[in-house]
């Protein structure tokens, strides 16, 4: 493997690793190259990024290498995060948000029991958007986080208080999830399909496959 190809592969690996990052040993095992060669390639790649004034950099945190944005570009990322054109929510996020809004405070496990699918990504999205937040810890094993809505949630949906949420008294049971979600849908205009919609479908399909496999085993 030539040196430039190795650097290209390492860049791709770091992209895939995300926030978890990779250390020299891990990259060495994946690429089947000696650790000293990997270290040289990583350092050379870091220099390439700096020399060409790329929008990303390679940082080393506790021995793990990962791709990161440049601190001086932070104001632009904040504008992107709060841009009105990016304010639409995926169905997965909106379903999760409706559960939190009507049944708060609530834990992740309780949310997933209601939705019937893992909700980590949706919870992270809503937290990043400032629509939900940690409001305490449940008195249960492991003291799981309790989630509730924020002031930004009220602003997002044009509500003065939670008392102005659409009435859900007619469907307090779990099977009212679709109605609750629809009420929040009606508060939004111009909703667009997002990548999270696609990921949610993939999760549900995967869950269905596993369910079928479990049924076959039984």
């Amino acid at each position: 493997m030539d040196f430039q190809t190795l650097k290209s592969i390492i860049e791709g690996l770091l992209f895939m690793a995300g926030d978890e990052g990779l250390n020299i040993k891990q990259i060495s095992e994946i690429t089947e190259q000696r650790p000293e060669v990997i270290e040289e390639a990583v350092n050379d790649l870091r220099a390439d990024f700096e020399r060409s004034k790329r929008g990303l950099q390679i940082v080393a945190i506790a021995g793990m290498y990962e791709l990161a944005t440049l601190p001086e570009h932070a104001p632009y990322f904040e504008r992107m995060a709060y841009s009105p054109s990016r304010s639409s929510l995926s169905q997965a996020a909106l379903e999760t948000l409706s559960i939190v809004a009507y049944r708060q405070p609530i834990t992740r496990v309780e949310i997933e029991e209601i939705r019937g699918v893992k909700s980590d990504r949706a919870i992270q999205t809503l937290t990043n958007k400032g629509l939900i937040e940690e409001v305490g810890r449940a008195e249960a094993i492991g003291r799981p986080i309790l989630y509730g809505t924020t002031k930004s949630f009220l602003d997002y949906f044009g509500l003065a208080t939670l008392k102005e949420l659409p009435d859900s008294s007619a469907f307090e049971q779990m099977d009212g999830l679709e109605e609750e979600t629809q009420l929040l849908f009606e508060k939004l205009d111009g909703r667009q399909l997002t990548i999270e919609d696609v990921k949610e479908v993939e999760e549900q399909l995967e869950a269905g496959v596993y369910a079928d496999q479990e049924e076959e085993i039984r």
Side-chain angles (χ1 to χ4, degrees), residues 162-182:
L162 288 175
K163 294 180 179 179
E164 292 188 3
L165 275 171
D167 184 27
S168 66
S169 59
F171 41 86
E172 286 299 325
Q173 302 304 314
M174 290 196 306
D175 58 6
L177 173 60
E178 291 186 5
E179 288 88 345
E180 291 175 346
T181 302
Q182 185 59 39

Side-chain angles (χ1 to χ4, degrees), residues 48-62:
D48 286 348
F49 274 58
E50 294 176 6
R51 241 184 340 260
S52 58
K53 299 185 183 300
R54 299 274 293 276
L56 296 173
Q57 62 178 329
I58 297 177
V59 297
I61 302 176

Side-chain angles (χ1 to χ4, degrees), residues 29 47 66 77 83 97 120 140 149 151-152 156 158 175 178-179 183-184 195 199 209-210 215 218:
E29 291 174 349
E66 59 183 80
F77 304 142
S83 170
L97 183 56
D120 303 72
T149 53
K151 182 181 181 299
S152 294
Y156 191 91
D175 58 6
E178 291 186 5
E179 288 88 345
L183 288 175
L184 290 190
I195 188 64
K199 290 179 178 178
V209 169
Y210 290 146
E215 186 63 30
R218 294 196 190 101

Side-chain angles (χ1 to χ4, degrees), residues 70-146:
L70 303 179
E72 57 267 33
H73 294 170
Y76 300 97
F77 304 142
E78 291 177 2
R79 291 180 197 172
M80 176 179 174
Y82 294 102
S83 170
S85 63
R86 291 182 53 83
S87 62
S88 60
L89 294 173
S90 69
Q91 179 159 348
L94 194 54
E95 285 181 359
T96 302
L97 183 56
S98 69
I99 293 171
V100 176
Y102 283 100
R103 302 158 197 245
Q104 60 186 305
I106 188 170
T107 67
R108 176 185 59 79
V109 172
E110 291 171 330
I111 293 171
E112 291 176 348
E113 287 177 350
I114 294 172
R115 292 192 64 224
V117 67
K118 291 184 69 63
S119 302
D120 303 72
R121 186 179 291 113
I123 289 174
Q124 182 179 10
T125 295
L126 295 172
T127 301
N128 291 342
K129 286 181 176 288
L131 296 175
I132 66 173
E133 63 183 352
E134 179 181 338
V135 296
R137 295 275 179 168
E139 295 295 333
I141 297 177
R143 298 295 304 277
I145 296 173
L146 287 168

